[in-house]
Amino acid sequence: MKEETKKLVDELQLVADEFYQNQNSKGIKEMPEVIRKLSAFMSCLKPEEQQEYLAALTGVMEAMEAKNYIMLADMLVFDVMKLVERY
């Protein structure tokens, strides 16, 4: 795994852990930077790979809007992180 990908995975895990530990305000504060990094990562993917990734990010945004932080953490770990690790 490339170093930048590993850093992104580590950061996703850190933010997810904050939500799991009910440190929601801390996790929310970090989400804009995480989303910026995920968007930059997505721009490096092929168009067909972007579709699956975009679907996962849409789910993340919906969980944020619903303020369902456990679901948000689950999506970061089980959906987004798995996609990042794959590429």
Side-chain angles (χ1 to χ4, degrees):
M1 187 182 312
K2 288 196 287 187
E3 185 62 31
E4 63 192 43
T5 304
K6 171 129 178 52
K7 284 182 183 179
L8 181 55
V9 167
D10 290 345
E11 189 167 346
L12 288 169
Q13 185 65 59
L14 256 165
V15 172
D17 287 345
E18 290 170 353
F19 289 121
Y20 285 135
Q21 295 166 6
N22 205 26
Q23 297 177 357
N24 298 333
S25 59
K26 191 173 181 183
I28 291 167
K29 198 179 282 189
E30 294 175 17
M31 281 304 293
E33 181 65 17
V34 168
I35 291 171
R36 185 190 67 73
K37 289 178 181 179
L38 289 172
S39 296
F41 179 82
M42 188 175 91
S43 69
C44 299
L45 300 177
K46 297 175 188 166
E48 60 272 10
E49 296 168 336
Q50 289 181 358
Q51 290 301 101
E52 188 177 8
Y53 196 73
L54 189 57
L57 288 183
T58 300
V60 165
M61 297 304 289
E62 289 171 357
M64 281 181 65
E65 287 175 13
K67 296 182 177 166
N68 188 338
Y69 300 119
I70 297 300
M71 182 166 71
L72 174 57
D74 285 347
M75 294 182 93
L76 289 173
V77 171
F78 298 112
D79 296 337
V80 178
M81 251 174 42
K82 298 301 179 204
L83 289 171
V84 169
E85 290 172 339
R86 188 182 326 159
Y87 303 109

